[in-house]
Amino acid sequence: MTGDARARLEALDPCKSFCVTAPAGSGKTELLTQRILSLLARVDRPQQVLAITFTRKAAAEMRIRLLTKLEQARRDDPVNEPHEQVTRELAMGVLKRAELCDWKLGPGSFNLRTIDSLCGDLTRQMPILSGLGGAAELTQHAQPLYEQAVEQLLDQTSSDDKTGQALRTLLLHFDNDWSRLRMLLVALLHRRADWAGRLGMHYAPEAAEQALVATVTALCGAVLGRLRCALGSRAPRLLELLTHAQKRLGQNTAEAVSGSLTAWSAGDVPVWQEAIALLVTKKGEWRKTWNKNQGFPPEDKTEKQQIADVVTSLSQEGAELLELFEECFRLPRVTVGDPSWELVLQLSHLLPILQAQLLLVFQRENRVDYTHIALAAEQALGEDDDPTDLALRFDYQLQHILVDEFQDTSDQQYRLLSRLTRGWADHNRAGHSPRTLFLVGDGMQSIYGFRYANVGIFLDARNRGLNGLELTPLELRSNFRSTDQLVSWVNRVFSKILPEQDDPSRGQVRHVRAEATRGADAPSSIEVHVIEDNDGSAEASFVTERILDIREQEPSATVAILVRARSHAYPVM
């Protein structure tokens, strides 16, 4: 077999779970179709195969594609390409299974959903757990509802309890600027999918604070662990120099850490931040000089040379180390009494109460947002140690789950998927009919961070599996869409832009080289033009002229113009 044909064939094994990296133009949709057909031929009911797509359009297109392949197989239409023959054989298997099990295959036979429709279905089946007790209007414009919830919370500012105290502390931090505090709290409600799972209304304020401390502590520990590896044997000397500098400045925070180099914990973040400040400037560049302001007066020539030697050694390791230093600088200081950390703790106390206020607004207005539906769906399935009846029923109904565009999965969606598949690993190990998970995505195409997407989830699932399920990683490299010249250009350019290694914790994705299956394009098929233009008129004129030239040479050619915003297209049109 040539190219990635072996990976495509392996992906059809209905007894195994996979995480497939499928870049643009790699034939992902055909592979998903084949995988669904291979699973349908083994289940008792078509609904036992759940395919989750990113959009309703993608779900509708997949439904039409499945029906078309089955109808073509029923008519025995001729096929020419090898991959079409594979699809035909799989479709014939589904038709035989349908006849055996007396299925009436039609548009409603296939369990194809978006994640939003799945969440909505789960919530409707458990209306009490949703907090509303019945159907509510779904709105995409929830800003006024958030503002009402914030106002209700701010009404408690004058109370003598801990909530009032927390609000007054925040107001003091914002110089009693109520509008700024309102904006902050409204923004937090917009992004509550990021925090509601740990700090939401189902947690006591004290428990929310503990959860926040645990999360931030783990984050700091992970970053400091990478710093420890990067510094290696230079760490002890760096701390000795920091201790020397702090004594010159009348400080001593580094001395305790330098005596116990095993203390790479969240509480040590301030010390390492000060140590890094000896190595780099505020602009993020390697420091070249030291003076009394850093704790090295003119007479400390030996210590200056020693710190310079450390910088020289570290600077040879590339820009990645400077990026790590910057990440360390951004870590919060989990220190009792630190003003910034105390404000975070005050917020963690308020967030459960703020979300409860929002639920009251939802109940009064009989309207909810998408985030509420998603969080309610997660709750409707229950905790791992206390699954709901709905979760048990879904567990019985589902045998296989496929997820498209998995690189754009959010933390909340990941938790939902984990609850849908809990117990599957134990089920498979017990020797029962395998339950499988099939994840497809491309980390290089993860663009929905503003919708809470976390590409690190895709990378972690590929490397470690999901919820105890072992996922076989596969990579598709063949590109059936673009010409060899275009694919080669993308490989050459993006291999320099993207990092050499994946880093799930930082959302960094390496470049996966594609292999073109089409021939070369015309020599001038790729052109880059840099236009210095403030108002965009020169650029619009250039693009318009190029389109006219193309139309004159190729009257039947289609032309696409990509712009950052719709308004940018008006000068061209």
Side-chain angles (χ1 to χ4, degrees):
M1 295 185 180
T2 59
D4 50 27
R6 188 179 300 278
R8 296 174 189 274
L9 182 61
E10 185 179 1
L12 303 182
D13 186 341
C15 297
K16 296 174 62 177
S17 296
F18 299 92
C19 184
V20 182
T21 298
S26 61
K28 176 195 67 175
T29 304
E30 181 72 10
L31 182 64
L32 270 172
T33 304
Q34 293 175 342
R35 175 74 182 185
I36 293 173
L37 292 172
S38 71
L39 297 174
L40 288 172
R42 294 174 56 89
V43 295
D44 296 327
R45 301 179 305 280
Q47 291 75 21
Q48 291 177 310
V49 179
L50 169 63
I52 300 174
T53 62
F54 196 70
T55 63
R56 289 193 297 269
K57 180 182 177 183
E61 290 175 348
M62 179 58 70
R63 182 173 286 107
I64 293 172
R65 193 179 186 93
L66 288 169
L67 289 170
T68 300
K69 298 300 181 183
L70 291 171
E71 181 59 28
Q72 290 174 345
R74 187 179 287 112
R75 296 195 307 256
D76 195 23
D77 289 352
V79 294
N80 300 314
E81 300 296 332
H83 72 274
E84 293 177 344
Q85 184 60 44
V86 172
T87 306
R88 172 59 53 82
E89 292 172 0
L90 294 171
M92 291 298 297
V94 175
L95 293 177
K96 291 178 182 178
R97 186 67 174 176
E99 183 178 2
L100 179 65
C101 298
D102 196 26
W103 296 345
K104 306 299 181 184
L105 294 177
S109 301
F110 308 113
N111 197 358
L112 303 173
R113 314 273 196 97
T114 64
I115 192 70
D116 289 333
S117 69
L118 176 62
C119 290
D121 184 42
L122 289 170
T123 304
R124 283 189 293 273
Q125 295 185 57
M126 299 287 281
I128 295 179
L129 284 181
S130 73
L132 300 175
E137 179 187 350
L138 187 61
T139 178
Q140 297 185 41
H141 306 288
Q143 174 88 5
L145 304 180
Y146 300 158
E147 292 173 351
Q148 289 184 47
V150 169
E151 288 302 323
Q152 291 178 185
L153 178 65
L154 292 179
D155 286 342
Q156 304 179 48
T157 303
S158 60
S159 64
D160 295 328
D161 58 14
K162 191 173 181 179
T163 300
Q165 179 184 349
L167 286 169
R168 290 192 293 274
T169 301
L170 285 173
L171 269 173
L172 186 62
H173 174 74
F174 286 109
D175 297 325
N176 287 321
D177 189 332
W178 290 75
S179 62
R180 288 176 62 197
L181 180 55
R182 285 192 187 93
M183 290 174 59
L184 170 65
L185 295 175
V186 168
L188 286 169
L189 284 178
H190 270 289
R191 295 197 61 90
R192 71 189 188 282
D194 289 340
W195 53 262
R198 294 176 179 266
L199 307 177
M201 62 185 177
H202 301 291
Y203 294 82
E206 293 75 15
E209 290 181 11
Q210 294 172 4
L212 180 64
V213 170
T215 300
V216 174
T217 298
L219 169 66
C220 292
V223 175
L224 290 182
R226 289 164 43 214
L227 178 65
R228 182 178 188 176
C229 293
L231 294 177
S233 60
R234 293 162 294 204
R237 187 59 188 141
L238 177 58
L239 283 178
E240 290 174 4
L241 291 167
L242 177 61
T243 301
H244 169 86
Q246 288 186 337
K247 287 181 178 179
R248 289 287 197 184
L249 296 171
Q251 305 168 2
N252 60 357
T253 57
E255 192 167 10
V257 176
S258 63
S260 176
L261 290 178
T262 59
W264 293 76
S265 62
D268 301 318
V269 166
V271 172
W272 291 110
Q273 289 175 335
E274 292 175 23
I276 292 171
L278 293 181
L279 305 175
V280 297
T281 66
K282 292 181 179 180
K283 294 182 178 180
E285 300 171 347
W286 292 108
R287 192 176 291 279
K288 298 178 181 179
T289 60
W290 294 263
N291 55 42
K292 62 179 181 180
N293 295 326
Q294 291 87 42
F296 295 93
E299 61 269 24
D300 289 350
K301 295 181 180 180
T302 301
E303 287 77 14
K304 286 183 180 181
Q305 184 58 50
Q306 290 173 347
I307 192 68
D309 291 342
V310 173
V311 169
T312 300
S313 174
L314 292 172
S315 64
Q316 296 175 358
E317 300 191 11
E320 292 80 5
L321 190 54
L322 287 175
E323 294 176 1
L324 176 57
F325 288 169
E326 176 64 23
E327 191 172 356
C328 290
F329 271 131
R330 294 178 180 274
L331 289 176
R333 297 191 173 194
V334 190
T335 306
V336 176
D338 182 85
S340 298
W341 180 243
E342 290 299 325
L343 287 173
V344 172
L345 291 181
Q346 300 292 355
L347 274 175
S348 71
H349 175 89
L350 292 173
L351 290 180
I353 303 170
L354 179 59
Q355 191 184 11
Q357 294 287 2
L358 181 61
L359 178 60
L360 293 176
V361 174
F362 285 161
Q363 291 171 339
R364 184 174 63 246
E365 301 290 335
N366 199 34
R367 287 186 291 161
V368 298
D369 61 359
Y370 282 101
T371 301
H372 178 81
I373 296 297
L375 293 171
E378 186 181 344
Q379 188 191 2
L381 294 175
E383 299 293 337
D384 288 347
D385 56 354
D386 187 24
T388 62
D389 291 340
L390 176 62
L392 297 175
R393 187 162 68 249
F394 256 75
D395 184 65
Y396 171 75
Q397 292 174 346
L398 295 178
Q399 296 291 323
H400 307 278
I401 298 178
L402 304 90
V403 185
D404 190 15
E405 306 291 358
F406 192 70
Q407 79 278 352
D408 287 319
T409 298
S410 68
D411 292 317
Q412 186 280 323
Q413 292 166 352
Y414 172 81
R415 294 194 301 268
L416 181 68
L417 185 60
S418 295
R419 294 191 181 192
L420 288 173
T421 58
R422 61 186 162 201
W424 282 24
D426 292 336
H427 171 93
N428 292 348
R429 282 192 289 267
H432 301 301
S433 178
R435 296 181 177 182
T436 68
L437 185 61
F438 191 80
L439 310 177
V440 184
D442 176 20
M444 295 185 292
Q445 297 186 66
S446 182
I447 58 173
Y448 283 94
F450 65 95
R451 291 184 180 175
Y452 319 130
N454 180 359
V455 70
I457 293 174
F458 173 74
L459 301 176
D460 273 333
R462 188 182 64 193
N463 297 334
R464 306 176 186 175
L466 188 149
N467 211 22
L469 283 172
E470 181 180 347
L471 303 178
T472 300
L474 299 175
E475 279 190 356
L476 304 184
R477 293 180 175 270
S478 296
N479 185 302
F480 302 99
R481 182 182 302 164
S482 304
T483 61
D484 179 68
Q485 186 176 359
L486 180 57
V487 171
S488 297
W489 183 85
V490 170
N491 284 337
R492 184 175 68 256
V493 172
F494 282 89
S495 62
K496 299 176 181 178
I497 296 175
L498 296 177
E500 295 182 0
Q501 299 294 331
D502 294 328
D503 188 340
S505 65
R506 304 171 71 185
Q508 289 189 345
V509 182
R510 64 182 172 86
H511 177 254
V512 177
R513 296 185 65 83
E515 300 171 0
T517 61
R518 296 177 57 187
D521 207 359
S524 60
S525 61
I526 302 169
E527 301 176 10
V528 177
H529 299 271
V530 179
I531 300 175
E532 295 184 5
D533 181 14
N534 292 329
D535 61 5
S537 58
E539 182 180 2
S541 298
F542 175 81
V543 171
T544 303
E545 292 173 3
R546 290 289 292 124
I547 294 173
L548 293 175
D549 290 342
I550 293 173
R551 284 294 178 85
E552 183 177 352
Q553 298 174 18
E554 303 177 60
S556 61
T558 57
V559 180
I561 306 172
L562 303 182
V563 293
R564 294 186 63 182
R566 184 175 300 179
S567 59
H568 297 169
Y570 296 152
V572 178
M573 300 172 62

